Amino acid sequence: MTMAIRDPRIFGRMDGIAISLIALAAVLACAPVSAQTATPPPAPVSDQAAGTPAPASVSDIVVTGTRITSSGFNAPTPTTVIGEEQILKNAQPNIFTTVAQLPSLQGSTGASTGTFSTSSGAQGLSSFSLRGLGTIRTLTLLDGQRVVGANVTGVPDISQFPQLLIKRVDIVTGGASASYGSDAVGGVINFITDTKFTGFKANVQTGVTTYGDDGQLLVQAAVGKSFANDKLHVILSGEYAKEQGVGPGNFGEDLAGSRDWYRATTLVDTGIRNNGSPQFLYRDHGQAYQYTKYGLISAGPLQGTAFDANGQPFAFQYGSNGVPAKNAAGTVTGCYVGFCVGGDQSGHVGSGTSLQSAIQRLNGYTRISYDVAPDMEVYMTANVAQVKTHNQPNPGASKTGLTIQCANPYLPASISAACAANGITTFQYGLSNAILPNIQVNTDRRQYRFVGGLKGKADLIGTSWTYDASYEHGTNITDINVDNVSLTGRYNQAINATRINGQIVCADAVARAAGCQPINIFGGATPSAGALAYITPEAGPFQHTKQTQDAAAGSISGEPITLWAGPVALAAGIEWRREFYRVNADPYGAGVSSISPNSALYPSDPNLNSTVGSNWYAGNYKNGTGRYTVLESFLELNLPILNSETLGRANINGAGRATRYSTSGVVYAWKVGGTWETPLDGFRLRAVTSRDVRAPNLSELFAAPTTTTVPNFTDPFRNTQVLIIQNTIGNSALRPEIARSTEAGIVLSRPKWLPGLSLSFDYYDIKVNDVVSSLSAAQIVNLCFQGNTDTCSAFNLQNTAGPNFVNVQSFNLASIKTKGFDIEGSYQWRQPLGMDGTFSVRALATHVIKFVTDPGLPGTIPVDTAGANSGATPDWKWLATESYDNDRFSITLQQRWFSEGVIGHQYVVCQAGNCPASTANNPTIDYNRMKGAFYFDVGGALNVTKQVSMFFKVDNLFDHDPEPSPQTNTGLDVNPALYDTLGRFYRIGVRARF
């Protein structure tokens, strides 16, 4: 017996391919994302192109991570910078992808995540997660200002930003709540736009995968011009982007295109916990034996009888040489809990999920500024954006445990006779419902954001001060419409058929009066148009959400006094914010109310639950509303304590923030840190410790219940699989999360003896207490099963009054502890080997030593997910680039890699005969490995003229397949948060700048 151990091997297997002409063309590559520690070198153009932010002016440097504006000031918090050139060279249709490649970003969400979901509302939502702490603990800013959330969790959608005007992105990898307020527990990502852009620039690019799908088009243009003797400056930009998405595949194991990596890998549960054998077995081709594509009798004396597309019965081929026990429980001898291995896979639903959501975005942006005086600017910005997404969560609408009457007139005569011969009048039945149209989820997000402000400089008490005052109003409207979803009550009436006067009709008279038309679920017969209109009405589930954010802020920064080691820098400010949301949904999902009344589209129906709602197979959205206000003040000081040629230069940086939330009272955040420019050439030490906060967001406090349909959920009480509705609800009594973050590092920046070299090492240690978190549906049920009565009231798996459900609610129960370190190195060689141009090498790496989450409930234990590749925090993750640039062309190679890991550290790995007793906290398993991945990208650019260039990019050149991420159900079972699920991708385009 061995406990699961993290094994950070250097490389997983690389799949080789024949080198095509495209690969040969890779010698004209362009540099993808590159970043460096925010220690600005001298500012020639080539240094800025390497990712260094240009100074804001001759004397002032604005550094994200601090509110102080001062020359020569180095913040103690590590900051990584992505420059405009790197954004362009990475040639992504969305800047989100470029930033998310950084090793310190773990668990970000995008178009390839959440595609299996009907009800989350996060499909295609591009949001960042630093340190694996989640998108809600990473603060994303636009020009240092907050952005209205695009989801009730409060996170913005990067797809709605004016991406062509972004000149750099600052990534602060550390707690920054004292400087920026709530949410900055994992760090801050600040998008800086070119507020003085002048001229015209445009970008057009297209792309497609090697499988011929996810066709992409990106068109961007921006213009900027000054008027009135350069006092008035106007900028306009517009963007259109479309990605067609990937998938879905079909029933069985057939993925979109010719992809062949899906194997329905599953952790099958043997149901035995103390016989010396592992409880869970890692197996390919997991077969759920409760249903098939066109129907299966799943229990009783006729168990094992399936139906083909023509409605003819046949003996179902169980995997694992399984033999139906033909008992009431539906046991299959030789198989496992709910699963066999192998056999007939035609009804499997996991491969029918979209691999990537289709996404279309439109963005219009303008900034108008006027210099009232040489050091005073008044400005306004307007950003109007729309993002539409589309995905298919799964094919059909699988059903299990249906009770079918033997008198059903659609049944073949042989089955009716078999019923009579066995003395039964009903039987249990399951099917994938391939006869129904596939569910389609359509999301439409629209953002309207306006900012007005005044900023500049003024002399006060003998010194110069900068000031900035602004007011932001943002509105985000999200509409989710789901097509082809069946109403459970109507479906149940339609499958309960009888014959009256020679006609097959719905057996229930009330249902017939309401328009019920019967369907034949024994085979592949397409239902009539009338039956489909009754079961899956044209007006399906919908949710309309309006979110608003109003934020006012004022701040000053200056150097009021000068001490022995230099001037003392100070920044102070006050901020106010109001967050509001309102959501309304259809009456069939939310329940009939004044907000969601019956209508011509949603008429009253006695066969539906009008009070509770939740009548849809999936997409049961609810109504809700909530708001809170925040009042904050902050003060930050930078105190120089050393300025000596012998001992170097040193400073102490400290900040404090007091925040009053209308929902939870006053909370404080602070930070203390310092830097020491040692007398050793180029060496700098830095350290910072902070107390950070994250207030519960609107979703956690007031969220309307969101529902997710979970098929094949394990019911441990009856040792079977059931379909459940998972309801996520809010908790207005939540408290803010409190975090302690400590970082310490050493930097070698461009020493005189090797001016092209930069190196840095930074250690971090973060602990978050009172974490707002919820147990999974399975955890809630299993805790009750083990005797923890705290969770027993949260579910009903044998609900006779409606669908089975599990309520998932947030509490301040958990804690998170994570630590690790970042390494970064770069070298820039000008005129290599006597050639014109510059050769650059850069590498960034993050090692997660531990990431321990403690659920905080009796009977549970902390779980370390560092190195669990089923999640977001692999042991090692790095990004490396090698590039050569001159005035005519550029070439670049990029490598992205993360280490081999495990499925989960909670598992005890053992083999038959030497396993301990399996428990909920430490279940036994026979295999607990997930390979890492190595992705190789190439690209190139050719300057046709000084103003026009052509470029191309190939991502995942070797078409590396993703590793299975097995669960205990029949989903897609892959982890798109880490692994590339699309395969090799080609892009070409043209840029112009005048």
Side-chain angles (χ1 to χ4, degrees), residues 117-389:
S117 173
T118 304
S119 310
S120 69
Q123 295 90 342
L125 180 67
S126 298
S127 54
F128 295 117
S129 169
L130 280 163
R131 301 295 188 210
L133 292 171
T135 58
I136 57 176
R137 297 182 187 89
T138 298
L139 180 60
T140 302
L141 306 173
L142 182 60
D143 287 324
Q145 299 165 332
R146 288 180 179 262
V147 179
V148 61
N151 182 271
V152 290
T153 60
V155 298
D157 188 352
I158 310 307
S159 298
Q160 297 176 327
F161 284 23
Q163 300 192 5
L164 187 61
L165 288 174
I166 293 170
K167 66 178 181 180
R168 80 173 197 266
V169 184
D170 294 349
I171 299 96
V172 180
T173 52
S177 293
S179 296
Y180 289 98
S182 180
D183 304 336
V185 173
V188 176
I189 299 180
N190 189 12
F191 289 81
I192 309 298
T193 63
D194 187 352
T195 60
K196 295 299 182 182
F197 171 69
T198 300
F200 173 82
K201 62 179 177 179
N203 176 46
V204 179
Q205 70 180 60
T206 186
V208 67
T209 73
T210 195
Y211 301 99
D213 48 24
D214 199 29
Q216 297 179 353
L217 175 66
L218 174 65
V219 180
Q220 300 170 299
V223 61
K225 187 172 177 59
S226 295
F227 304 91
N229 296 321
D230 293 336
K231 292 183 177 180
L232 176 66
H233 195 77
V234 179
I235 299 173
L236 296 170
S237 76
E239 304 180 19
Y240 170 80
K242 184 173 184 178
E243 302 177 51
Q244 293 179 340
V246 176
N250 299 312
F251 288 96
E253 298 182 0
D254 184 14
L255 288 173
S258 57
R259 296 172 179 86
D260 58 3
W261 47 260
Y262 182 64
R263 306 190 300 272
T265 306
T266 307
L267 298 183
V268 296
D269 186 350
T270 64
I272 301 174
R273 293 165 172 78
N274 57 0
N275 71 339
S277 295
Q279 176 187 349
F280 289 101
L281 305 178
Y282 181 106
R283 296 293 184 268
D284 291 339
H285 314 298
Q287 177 201 54
Y289 59 65
Q290 302 87 2
Y291 61 91
T292 64
K293 185 174 183 179
Y294 297 117
L296 173 70
I297 299 177
S298 56
L302 305 185
Q303 181 187 5
T305 301
F307 297 86
D308 64 17
N310 297 317
Q312 296 302 309
F314 68 96
F316 180 64
Q317 181 188 354
Y318 291 96
S320 305
N321 295 316
V323 177
K326 300 188 176 183
N327 55 20
T331 306
V332 179
T333 304
C335 290
Y336 309 100
V337 179
F339 286 91
C340 299
V341 176
D344 186 342
Q345 293 283 336
S346 61
H348 192 82
V349 298
S351 56
T353 298
S354 298
L355 292 181
Q356 174 154 311
S357 295
I359 184 170
Q360 176 180 289
R361 62 184 185 90
L362 290 167
N363 191 300
Y365 176 85
T366 185
R367 187 181 194 274
I368 303 173
S369 62
Y370 186 79
D371 294 335
V372 180
D375 289 321
M376 179 184 294
E377 178 192 58
V378 59
Y379 67 91
M380 66 82 63
T381 69
N383 187 188
V384 178
Q386 181 182 46
V387 176
K388 293 183 176 182
T389 69

